[in-house]
Amino acid sequence: MQEGGKRRRLTRGEMLVIAAPYAWIALFFLAPFALIVKISLSRPAQARPPYEPVFDGAGLAGFFEKLSQLGLDAYRGLAEDSLYLDSYLSSLSIAGVATLVCLLIAYPFALAIARAPRRLRPVLIGFAVAPFWTSFLIRVYAWITLLKDEGIINHALMALGLIDAPLPMFATSGAVVVGIVYSYLPFMLLPLYAAIEGQDASLREAAADLGATPFQVFLHVTLPLSRRGIIAGALLVFIPSVGEFVIPDLLGGSDTLMIGRTLWNDFFANRDWPAASAAAVALLALLLIPILLYERAQLREGER
Amino acid sequence: MSGARLLRLAALLLGFGFLYGPIVILATMSFNASRLVTVWGGFSTKWYAALLHDEQMLRAAEISLAAAALSALIATINGLLAALALARFGGFRSRTLFAGSIYAPLVMPEVVLGLGLLLVFVAFGVERGFLTLVLAHASFTMCFATVMIHAALKGCDRTLEEAAMDLGATPVRAFALVTLPLIAPSVVSAYLLAFIISLDDLVIASFTTGPGATTLPMRIYSQVRLGVSPEVNAISTLLLGLVAVALGLSALLTRGRAKGGGAG
C-alpha cells in the first residue's frame, strides 16, 4: 500500500486528519515566505507598519500598475552596500570554519561512544545530546564567563604563569566559532554516531585479517562508511550557523559581521523592514542548496 | 589494543568535559557569594533570594511558562495529525510539499522564521502580544513534535490496528484504542520537548511578541548584554535544573515504552 509509485488522491477521512496541520503550515510557514518576498520589494516608509505596500489595492490593472513601479531598492541596497556583502562572506567563512572544527571534535567523540560496550552506548549518547535541550542562550552565556579578559581561562593561564597579559579571546570571531561548535555539537554527533554505530563489525575484522593496521582500517573502512553521517552532520551545523544571531551578538565583537545579526539590526534598530526582508531572501537563496540537500536526505529517511 | 582503548577513553573524557564544563562552572558561580567570577567568596544562595524579589523576572517567567504550555499543546496535536499523515497515507499528492514544509523549520534560520511570522501577524492586523507569541511558538515547535511522533508511529505494529478494524472498529476508534496508547510515551515526550524549545526561544519571541508579553529569555538577554551577573547565573541554573528533570522524565517514559515493546 505504501509502495504504489503513483501519487494518489487523499480519501475524505484522510483529508479530515491532514486539514488542520496543512492549514497551519500554509498560514504560518508558507504565507510568511510569500510575505517576506513581498515586503522585500516594498519601499521603507515612516508609518506603521513601516513599509509601503506593493500589490495591495485592487484588481489586475492595479497589479500591472504596481508591477511597473516594483521596488527593487532593498535589493539594490544589498548589492551596493558593502556591509551586506561583508556579512554574507563572513557568515559563510565563520560557519564553514565552525563546521570543520565541529567535525574534528565530534568524530573521535562519536567513534568512542560507538565503540563503547553496547549496554553503555544509549546512556553515553543520551548524556552527550542532553545539553542540546538546555537553554541555548544560557549555554552561549556560559562562555562569556570563560572567555572574557577577566574571565576564568585568562585567570587560570595567568595564575599558571603561562601568559602575562590576558589573551583577547572575548568579542572576536574565534569566540563566535567556539560558541557555534559548543552549541551545535550534538547536531554533528548524532548523525556521526548513527553512521558509525550501524556499521558491520565484520568488515573491520576482515580488513584487519588481511593485514591492515588499525589506522588503515579506519581510513579505508570506517571513514568511508560514515560518509552519510558526515554530510548530514555538516549540513545540520552549517545551515543554522550561517543565519545565527545570538552567538555573534553575545560572543562576537562589534566588527564581527554575520548576516543574522545584520538582519536583526535592520529590523529592530533601523526599522527598515524591506531591507531586513531582502536580507532574509538573500540568506535563504544562499542556503537553498544546502537546505534542499538536507531535505532530500530527510525525505528519503522519512519514507524508509 | 589497549592503546586504542586509552585513546577512546581520552576522547570520551575530553568530549564530556567540553560539553559539561561550561555548564558546571556556570552553576557553581550561581552559588558564589562574590560578584567576581575569579574570586570564590564562599557558598551563598543570596542570588536566588534576589531573584524572588525581581518582579520583572518573575512576570517574564510566568509568561514564558504559560506560552510554552499552550504552544506545546497545539504543536503536539498538530504534530500528531501531521505524523499520522506522513506515516500512514503513503504517497499522496503534495506529499513532498507537506513533508518539506514540516521538516524545513528544523534547519531554517530563526531570524527568517521570526521575521516571516511577524509579517503574517501584521498583514492580518493582529496586535502583537501573548496570543501571537503562542501561535508563533506552536508553529515552529510543531516540526520537532512531528519528527518525534512520526518515528514512534513507524515503529508501531500496524497489524494490531488492522485486527481491531477487522473486528468491526472504525478507523478512528481503532487508532484511539489501539495505536494511541502504544505511542502515548512518545506523544508526551514530544509535548515536553516542544515545551522546552518554546521556553528557550529568544529570536522568534523577540519578533512576534508585544510589549506586554516579554519572555524570560528576552529578559535574560537584555541583562546579559549588560554583562555577566550572578542573578542571571542563578536563573540559568534553575532553568538547567528544570530541563534536567524534564529530560529525566522523558527518558523514563521512552524506556518504559522500550520495555513494553520488548514484552509485547
Coordinates of all heavy atoms in Angstrom, one line a residue, chain A residues 174-261:
Chain A
G174 N 36.9 34.3 16.7 CA 37.2 33.0 17.3 C 36.2 32.6 18.3 O 35.8 31.4 18.4
A175 N 35.8 33.6 19.1 CA 34.8 33.3 20.2 C 33.5 32.8 19.6 O 32.9 31.9 20.1 CB 34.6 34.5 21.1
V176 N 33.2 33.4 18.4 CA 31.9 33.0 17.8 C 32.0 31.6 17.3 O 31.1 30.8 17.4 CB 31.6 34.0 16.6 CG1 30.4 33.5 15.8 CG2 31.4 35.4 17.1
V177 N 33.2 31.2 16.7 CA 33.4 29.8 16.3 C 33.3 28.9 17.5 O 32.6 27.9 17.4 CB 34.8 29.7 15.6 CG1 35.1 28.2 15.4 CG2 34.8 30.4 14.3
V178 N 33.9 29.2 18.6 CA 33.8 28.4 19.8 C 32.3 28.2 20.2 O 31.8 27.1 20.5 CB 34.6 29.0 21.0 CG1 34.3 28.2 22.3 CG2 36.1 28.9 20.6
G179 N 31.6 29.3 20.2 CA 30.2 29.3 20.6 C 29.4 28.4 19.7 O 28.5 27.7 20.1
I180 N 29.6 28.5 18.4 CA 28.9 27.7 17.4 C 29.2 26.2 17.6 O 28.3 25.4 17.7 CB 29.2 28.1 15.9 CG1 28.6 29.5 15.7 CG2 28.6 27.1 15.0 CD1 28.9 30.1 14.3
V181 N 30.5 25.9 17.7 CA 30.9 24.5 17.9 C 30.2 23.9 19.2 O 29.7 22.8 19.1 CB 32.4 24.4 18.0 CG1 32.8 23.0 18.5 CG2 33.1 24.8 16.7
Y182 N 30.3 24.7 20.2 CA 29.7 24.2 21.5 C 28.2 24.0 21.4 O 27.7 23.0 21.8 CB 30.0 25.2 22.6 CG 29.6 24.8 24.0 CD1 30.2 23.7 24.6 CD2 28.5 25.5 24.6 CE1 29.7 23.3 25.8 CE2 28.1 25.0 25.9 CZ 28.7 24.0 26.5 OH 28.3 23.6 27.7
S183 N 27.5 25.0 20.8 CA 26.0 24.9 20.7 C 25.5 23.8 19.8 O 24.5 23.2 20.0 CB 25.5 26.3 20.2 OG 26.0 27.3 21.0
Y184 N 26.2 23.6 18.7 CA 25.7 22.7 17.6 C 26.4 21.3 17.6 O 26.1 20.5 16.7 CB 25.8 23.3 16.3 CG 24.8 24.5 16.1 CD1 25.3 25.8 16.0 CD2 23.5 24.3 16.1 CE1 24.4 26.9 15.8 CE2 22.6 25.3 16.0 CZ 23.1 26.6 15.9 OH 22.2 27.6 15.7
L185 N 27.3 21.1 18.6 CA 28.0 19.8 18.6 C 27.0 18.6 18.6 O 27.3 17.6 17.8 CB 28.9 19.7 19.8 CG 29.9 18.6 19.8 CD1 30.9 18.8 18.7 CD2 30.6 18.4 21.2
P186 N 25.9 18.6 19.3 CA 25.0 17.4 19.2 C 24.5 17.2 17.8 O 24.3 16.0 17.5 CB 23.9 17.8 20.2 CG 24.4 18.8 21.1 CD 25.5 19.6 20.3
F187 N 24.3 18.2 17.0 CA 23.8 18.1 15.7 C 24.8 17.3 14.8 O 24.4 16.6 13.9 CB 23.6 19.4 15.0 CG 22.3 20.1 15.4 CD1 22.0 21.4 14.9 CD2 21.4 19.5 16.3 CE1 20.9 22.1 15.3 CE2 20.3 20.2 16.6 CZ 20.0 21.4 16.1
M188 N 26.1 17.5 15.1 CA 27.1 16.7 14.4 C 27.2 15.3 14.9 O 27.4 14.3 14.2 CB 28.4 17.5 14.5 CG 29.6 16.9 13.7 SD 29.4 17.0 12.0 CE 30.2 18.6 11.6
L189 N 27.1 15.3 16.3 CA 27.4 14.0 17.0 C 26.4 12.9 16.6 O 26.8 11.8 16.3 CB 27.4 14.3 18.5 CG 28.1 13.3 19.4 CD1 29.5 13.2 19.0 CD2 27.9 13.7 20.8
L190 N 25.1 13.3 16.6 CA 24.1 12.2 16.4 C 24.2 11.5 15.1 O 24.2 10.3 15.1 CB 22.7 12.9 16.6 CG 22.1 12.8 18.0 CD1 20.7 13.4 18.0 CD2 22.0 11.4 18.5
P191 N 24.2 12.2 13.9 CA 24.3 11.5 12.7 C 25.6 10.7 12.5 O 25.6 9.6 12.0 CB 24.2 12.6 11.6 CG 24.2 13.9 12.3 CD 24.0 13.7 13.7
L192 N 26.7 11.3 13.1 CA 28.0 10.6 13.0 C 27.9 9.3 13.8 O 28.3 8.2 13.3 CB 29.1 11.4 13.6 CG 29.7 12.5 12.8 CD1 30.8 13.2 13.5 CD2 30.2 11.9 11.5
Y193 N 27.3 9.4 15.0 CA 27.2 8.2 15.9 C 26.4 7.1 15.2 O 26.7 5.9 15.1 CB 26.6 8.6 17.2 CG 26.1 7.4 18.0 CD1 27.1 6.6 18.7 CD2 24.8 7.1 18.2 CE1 26.7 5.5 19.5 CE2 24.4 6.0 18.9 CZ 25.3 5.2 19.5 OH 24.9 4.2 20.3
A194 N 25.2 7.6 14.6 CA 24.3 6.6 13.9 C 25.1 6.0 12.8 O 24.9 4.7 12.5 CB 23.1 7.4 13.4
A195 N 25.9 6.7 12.0 CA 26.6 6.2 10.9 C 27.7 5.2 11.3 O 27.9 4.2 10.6 CB 27.1 7.3 10.0
I196 N 28.3 5.5 12.4 CA 29.5 4.6 12.8 C 28.9 3.4 13.5 O 29.4 2.3 13.3 CB 30.4 5.4 13.7 CG1 31.0 6.6 13.0 CG2 31.5 4.5 14.2 CD1 31.8 7.5 13.9
E197 N 27.9 3.6 14.4 CA 27.4 2.5 15.2 C 26.7 1.4 14.3 O 26.7 0.3 14.6 CB 26.4 3.1 16.2 CG 26.4 2.3 17.5 CD 25.2 1.4 17.6 OE1 24.2 1.5 16.8 OE2 25.2 0.5 18.5
G198 N 26.1 1.9 13.2 CA 25.4 0.9 12.4 C 26.3 0.1 11.5 O 25.8 -0.8 10.7
Q199 N 27.6 0.3 11.5 CA 28.5 -0.4 10.6 C 28.7 -1.9 11.1 O 28.6 -2.2 12.3 CB 29.8 0.2 10.5 CG 29.8 1.6 9.8 CD 31.1 2.3 9.9 OE1 32.1 1.7 10.3 NE2 31.1 3.6 9.5
D200 N 28.9 -2.7 10.1 CA 29.0 -4.1 10.4 C 30.5 -4.4 10.8 O 31.4 -4.1 10.1 CB 28.8 -4.9 9.1 CG 28.7 -6.4 9.3 OD1 29.1 -6.8 10.5 OD2 28.2 -7.1 8.5
A201 N 30.6 -4.9 12.1 CA 32.0 -5.0 12.6 C 32.8 -6.0 11.8 O 34.1 -5.9 11.8 CB 31.9 -5.4 14.1
S202 N 32.2 -7.0 11.1 CA 32.9 -8.0 10.4 C 33.7 -7.4 9.3 O 34.8 -8.0 8.9 CB 32.0 -9.1 9.9 OG 31.0 -8.5 9.1
L203 N 33.3 -6.3 8.7 CA 34.1 -5.6 7.7 C 35.4 -5.2 8.2 O 36.5 -5.4 7.6 CB 33.3 -4.4 7.1 CG 32.1 -4.7 6.3 CD1 31.3 -3.4 6.1 CD2 32.4 -5.4 5.1
R204 N 35.4 -4.6 9.4 CA 36.7 -4.2 10.0 C 37.6 -5.4 10.3 O 38.8 -5.4 10.1 CB 36.4 -3.4 11.3 CG 35.8 -2.0 11.1 CD 36.0 -1.2 12.3 NE 35.5 -1.8 13.6 CZ 34.3 -1.9 14.0 NH1 33.3 -1.3 13.2 NH2 33.9 -2.4 15.1
E205 N 36.9 -6.4 10.9 CA 37.7 -7.6 11.2 C 38.3 -8.2 9.9 O 39.5 -8.6 10.0 CB 36.8 -8.7 11.9 CG 36.5 -8.3 13.3 CD 35.2 -8.9 13.8 OE1 34.7 -9.9 13.2 OE2 34.7 -8.5 14.8
A206 N 37.6 -8.2 8.8 CA 38.1 -8.8 7.6 C 39.3 -8.0 7.1 O 40.3 -8.5 6.7 CB 37.0 -8.7 6.5
A207 N 39.2 -6.6 7.2 CA 40.3 -5.8 6.8 C 41.6 -6.1 7.7 O 42.7 -6.2 7.2 CB 39.9 -4.3 6.9
A208 N 41.3 -6.2 9.0 CA 42.4 -6.5 9.9 C 43.0 -7.8 9.6 O 44.3 -8.0 9.6 CB 41.9 -6.4 11.3
D209 N 42.2 -8.8 9.3 CA 42.7 -10.2 9.0 C 43.6 -10.2 7.8 O 44.5 -10.9 7.6 CB 41.5 -11.1 8.7 CG 40.8 -11.5 10.0 OD1 41.4 -11.2 11.1 OD2 39.7 -12.1 10.0
L210 N 43.2 -9.3 6.8 CA 44.0 -9.2 5.6 C 45.3 -8.3 5.8 O 45.9 -8.0 4.8 CB 43.1 -8.6 4.5 CG 42.0 -9.5 4.1 CD1 41.1 -8.8 3.1 CD2 42.6 -10.8 3.4
G211 N 45.5 -7.9 7.0 CA 46.8 -7.3 7.3 C 46.8 -5.7 7.4 O 47.8 -5.1 7.5
A212 N 45.6 -5.1 7.4 CA 45.5 -3.7 7.6 C 45.8 -3.3 9.0 O 45.4 -3.9 10.0 CB 44.1 -3.2 7.2
T213 N 46.6 -2.2 9.2 CA 46.8 -1.6 10.5 C 45.5 -1.0 11.0 O 44.7 -0.6 10.2 CB 47.9 -0.6 10.5 OG1 47.5 0.5 9.7 CG2 49.2 -1.2 9.9
P214 N 45.4 -0.8 12.3 CA 44.2 -0.1 12.8 C 43.9 1.2 12.1 O 42.7 1.5 11.8 CB 44.5 0.1 14.3 CG 45.4 -1.0 14.6 CD 46.2 -1.2 13.4
F215 N 45.0 2.0 11.8 CA 44.8 3.3 11.1 C 44.3 3.1 9.7 O 43.4 3.8 9.3 CB 46.1 4.1 11.1 CG 45.9 5.4 10.5 CD1 45.2 6.4 11.2 CD2 46.5 5.7 9.3 CE1 45.0 7.7 10.6 CE2 46.3 7.0 8.7 CZ 45.6 7.9 9.4
Q216 N 44.8 2.0 9.0 CA 44.3 1.8 7.7 C 42.9 1.3 7.7 O 42.1 1.7 6.8 CB 45.2 0.7 7.0 CG 46.5 1.2 6.5 CD 47.4 0.1 6.0 OE1 47.5 -1.0 6.6 NE2 48.2 0.4 5.0
V217 N 42.5 0.5 8.7 CA 41.1 0.1 8.8 C 40.2 1.3 8.9 O 39.2 1.4 8.2 CB 40.9 -0.9 10.0 CG1 39.4 -1.2 10.2 CG2 41.7 -2.1 9.8
F218 N 40.6 2.2 9.8 CA 39.8 3.4 10.0 C 39.7 4.2 8.7 O 38.6 4.6 8.3 CB 40.5 4.3 11.1 CG 39.8 5.7 11.2 CD1 38.6 5.8 11.8 CD2 40.5 6.8 10.6 CE1 38.0 7.1 11.9 CE2 39.9 8.0 10.7 CZ 38.6 8.2 11.3
L219 N 40.8 4.4 8.0 CA 40.9 5.2 6.8 C 40.1 4.6 5.6 O 39.5 5.3 4.9 CB 42.3 5.5 6.4 CG 42.6 6.7 5.6 CD1 42.3 8.0 6.4 CD2 44.1 6.7 5.1
H220 N 40.2 3.3 5.5 CA 39.6 2.7 4.3 C 38.3 2.0 4.6 O 37.6 1.6 3.6 CB 40.6 1.6 3.7 CG 41.9 2.3 3.2 ND1 41.9 3.1 2.1 CD2 43.1 2.3 3.7 CE1 43.1 3.6 1.9 NE2 43.9 3.1 2.9
V221 N 37.9 1.8 5.8 CA 36.6 1.1 6.1 C 35.7 2.0 6.9 O 34.6 2.5 6.4 CB 36.8 -0.2 6.9 CG1 35.5 -0.8 7.2 CG2 37.7 -1.1 6.1
T222 N 36.1 2.4 8.1 CA 35.2 3.2 9.0 C 34.8 4.5 8.4 O 33.7 4.9 8.3 CB 35.8 3.4 10.4 OG1 36.3 2.1 10.8 CG2 34.8 4.0 11.3
L223 N 35.9 5.3 8.0 CA 35.6 6.6 7.5 C 34.7 6.7 6.2 O 33.7 7.4 6.2 CB 37.0 7.3 7.2 CG 36.9 8.8 7.0 CD1 36.4 9.5 8.3 CD2 38.3 9.4 6.8
P224 N 35.0 5.9 5.2 CA 34.1 6.0 4.0 C 32.7 5.5 4.3 O 31.8 6.1 3.8 CB 34.8 5.0 3.0 CG 36.2 4.8 3.5 CD 36.2 5.0 5.0
L225 N 32.6 4.5 5.2 CA 31.2 4.0 5.5 C 30.4 5.1 6.3 O 29.2 5.0 6.4 CB 31.3 2.7 6.3 CG 31.6 1.5 5.5 CD1 31.8 0.3 6.4 CD2 30.5 1.3 4.5
S226 N 31.1 6.0 7.0 CA 30.4 7.0 7.7 C 30.1 8.3 6.9 O 29.8 9.4 7.5 CB 31.1 7.4 9.0 OG 32.4 7.9 8.7
R227 N 30.3 8.2 5.6 CA 30.2 9.4 4.8 C 28.9 10.1 4.9 O 28.8 11.3 5.1 CB 30.5 9.1 3.3 CG 31.0 10.2 2.5 CD 30.9 9.9 1.0 NE 29.5 9.7 0.7 CZ 29.1 8.9 -0.3 NH1 30.0 8.2 -1.0 NH2 27.8 8.8 -0.6
R228 N 27.8 9.3 4.9 CA 26.5 9.9 5.0 C 26.3 10.7 6.3 O 25.6 11.7 6.4 CB 25.4 8.9 4.9 CG 25.1 8.6 3.4 CD 24.0 7.5 3.2 NE 22.7 8.0 3.7 CZ 21.6 7.3 3.5 NH1 21.7 6.2 2.9 NH2 20.5 7.8 3.9
G229 N 26.8 10.1 7.4 CA 26.7 10.8 8.7 C 27.5 12.1 8.7 O 27.0 13.1 9.2
I230 N 28.7 12.1 8.0 CA 29.5 13.3 8.0 C 28.7 14.4 7.2 O 28.6 15.6 7.6 CB 30.8 13.1 7.3 CG1 31.7 12.1 8.1 CG2 31.6 14.4 7.0 CD1 33.0 11.7 7.5
I231 N 28.1 14.0 6.1 CA 27.4 15.0 5.2 C 26.2 15.6 6.0 O 26.0 16.8 6.1 CB 26.9 14.4 3.9 CG1 28.2 14.1 3.1 CG2 26.0 15.3 3.2 CD1 27.9 13.3 1.8
A232 N 25.4 14.7 6.6 CA 24.2 15.1 7.4 C 24.6 16.0 8.5 O 24.0 17.1 8.7 CB 23.4 13.9 7.9
G233 N 25.6 15.6 9.3 CA 26.1 16.4 10.4 C 26.6 17.8 10.0 O 26.3 18.8 10.6
A234 N 27.4 17.8 8.9 CA 27.9 19.1 8.4 C 26.8 20.0 8.0 O 26.8 21.2 8.3 CB 28.9 18.8 7.3
L235 N 25.8 19.5 7.3 CA 24.7 20.3 6.9 C 23.9 20.9 8.1 O 23.5 22.0 8.1 CB 23.7 19.6 5.9 CG 24.2 19.3 4.5 CD1 23.3 18.4 3.8 CD2 24.4 20.6 3.7
L236 N 23.7 20.0 9.0 CA 22.9 20.4 10.2 C 23.6 21.4 11.0 O 23.0 22.2 11.7 CB 22.6 19.1 11.1 CG 21.4 18.3 10.8 CD1 21.3 17.1 11.6 CD2 20.1 19.2 10.9
V237 N 24.9 21.5 11.0 CA 25.7 22.5 11.7 C 25.8 23.8 10.9 O 25.6 24.9 11.4 CB 27.1 22.0 12.1 CG1 27.9 23.1 12.8 CG2 27.0 20.9 13.1
F238 N 26.1 23.6 9.6 CA 26.4 24.7 8.7 C 25.2 25.6 8.5 O 25.3 26.8 8.6 CB 27.0 24.2 7.4 CG 27.3 25.3 6.4 CD1 28.5 26.0 6.6 CD2 26.5 25.7 5.4 CE1 28.9 27.0 5.7 CE2 26.8 26.7 4.5 CZ 28.0 27.4 4.7
I239 N 24.0 25.0 8.2 CA 22.9 25.7 7.8 C 22.4 26.7 8.9 O 22.3 27.9 8.7 CB 21.7 24.8 7.4 CG1 22.1 24.0 6.1 CG2 20.5 25.6 7.1 CD1 21.2 22.9 5.8
P240 N 22.2 26.2 10.1 CA 21.7 27.2 11.1 C 22.8 28.2 11.5 O 22.5 29.3 11.9 CB 21.3 26.4 12.3 CG 21.8 25.0 12.1 CD 22.1 24.9 10.6
S241 N 24.1 27.8 11.4 CA 25.2 28.7 11.8 C 25.2 29.9 11.0 O 25.5 31.0 11.4 CB 26.5 28.0 11.7 OG 26.5 26.8 12.4
V242 N 25.0 29.7 9.7 CA 25.1 30.9 8.7 C 24.1 32.0 9.2 O 24.5 33.2 9.1 CB 24.8 30.4 7.3 CG1 24.7 31.6 6.4 CG2 25.8 29.5 6.8
G243 N 22.9 31.6 9.6 CA 22.0 32.7 10.0 C 21.9 33.0 11.4 O 21.0 33.6 11.9
E244 N 22.9 32.5 12.2 CA 22.9 32.6 13.7 C 22.9 34.1 14.1 O 23.6 35.0 13.5 CB 24.2 31.9 14.2 CG 24.3 31.8 15.7 CD 23.0 31.3 16.3 OE1 22.5 30.2 15.9 OE2 22.5 32.0 17.2
F245 N 22.1 34.4 15.1 CA 22.1 35.8 15.7 C 22.7 35.8 17.1 O 23.6 36.7 17.4 CB 20.7 36.3 15.7 CG 20.5 37.5 16.6 CD1 21.1 38.7 16.2 CD2 19.9 37.4 17.8 CE1 21.0 39.8 17.1 CE2 19.9 38.5 18.7 CZ 20.4 39.7 18.3
V246 N 22.2 35.0 18.0 CA 22.6 35.1 19.4 C 24.1 35.0 19.6 O 24.7 35.8 20.4 CB 21.8 34.0 20.2 CG1 22.3 34.0 21.7 CG2 20.3 34.2 20.1
I247 N 24.7 34.0 18.9 CA 26.1 33.8 19.2 C 27.0 34.9 18.8 O 27.8 35.4 19.6 CB 26.6 32.4 18.6 CG1 25.8 31.3 19.2 CG2 28.1 32.2 18.7 CD1 26.0 29.9 18.5
P248 N 26.9 35.4 17.5 CA 27.7 36.6 17.2 C 27.4 37.8 18.0 O 28.3 38.6 18.3 CB 27.4 36.8 15.7 CG 26.2 36.1 15.4 CD 26.2 34.9 16.3
D249 N 26.1 37.9 18.4 CA 25.8 39.1 19.2 C 26.4 39.1 20.6 O 26.8 40.1 21.1 CB 24.2 39.2 19.3 CG 23.8 40.6 19.7 OD1 24.1 41.5 19.0 OD2 23.2 40.7 20.7
L250 N 26.4 37.9 21.2 CA 26.9 37.9 22.6 C 28.4 37.6 22.7 O 29.1 38.1 23.6 CB 26.2 36.7 23.4 CG 24.7 37.0 23.7 CD1 24.2 35.9 24.5 CD2 24.5 38.3 24.5
L251 N 29.0 36.8 21.8 CA 30.4 36.5 21.9 C 31.3 37.2 20.9 O 32.5 37.3 21.0 CB 30.6 35.0 21.6 CG 29.9 34.0 22.7 CD1 30.2 32.6 22.3 CD2 30.4 34.3 24.1
G252 N 30.7 37.7 19.8 CA 31.4 38.4 18.8 C 31.7 39.9 19.2 O 31.1 40.4 20.1
G253 N 32.7 40.5 18.5 CA 32.9 41.9 18.7 C 32.0 42.7 17.8 O 31.2 42.2 17.0
S254 N 32.1 44.1 18.0 CA 31.2 44.9 17.2 C 31.6 44.8 15.7 O 30.8 45.1 14.8 CB 31.3 46.3 17.6 OG 32.7 46.7 17.6
D255 N 32.8 44.3 15.4 CA 33.2 44.2 14.0 C 32.9 42.8 13.5 O 33.3 42.5 12.3 CB 34.7 44.5 13.8 CG 35.6 43.7 14.7 OD1 35.1 43.1 15.7 OD2 36.8 43.5 14.4
T256 N 32.4 41.8 14.3 CA 32.1 40.5 13.8 C 30.7 40.6 13.1 O 29.7 40.6 13.7 CB 32.0 39.5 14.9 OG1 33.1 39.6 15.8 CG2 31.9 38.1 14.4
L257 N 30.8 40.6 11.7 CA 29.6 40.7 11.0 C 29.0 39.3 10.7 O 29.8 38.5 10.2 CB 29.9 41.4 9.6 CG 30.2 42.9 9.7 CD1 30.6 43.4 8.4 CD2 29.1 43.7 10.3
M258 N 27.7 39.1 10.9 CA 27.1 37.9 10.4 C 25.7 38.3 10.0 O 25.1 39.2 10.5 CB 27.0 36.8 11.5 CG 28.4 36.1 11.6 SD 28.3 34.6 12.6 CE 27.7 33.4 11.5
I259 N 25.2 37.6 9.0 CA 24.0 38.1 8.3 C 22.8 38.2 9.2 O 22.0 39.1 9.1 CB 23.8 37.3 7.0 CG1 22.8 38.1 6.1 CG2 23.4 35.9 7.2 CD1 23.2 39.5 5.7
G260 N 22.7 37.2 10.1 CA 21.6 37.1 11.0 C 21.5 38.4 11.9 O 20.5 39.0 12.2
R261 N 22.7 38.8 12.3 CA 22.9 40.0 13.2 C 22.5 41.3 12.4 O 21.9 42.2 12.9 CB 24.3 40.0 13.6 CG 24.5 40.9 14.9 CD 26.0 40.8 15.2 NE 26.3 41.5 16.4 CZ 27.5 41.8 16.8 NH1 28.5 41.4 16.1 NH2 27.7 42.5 17.9

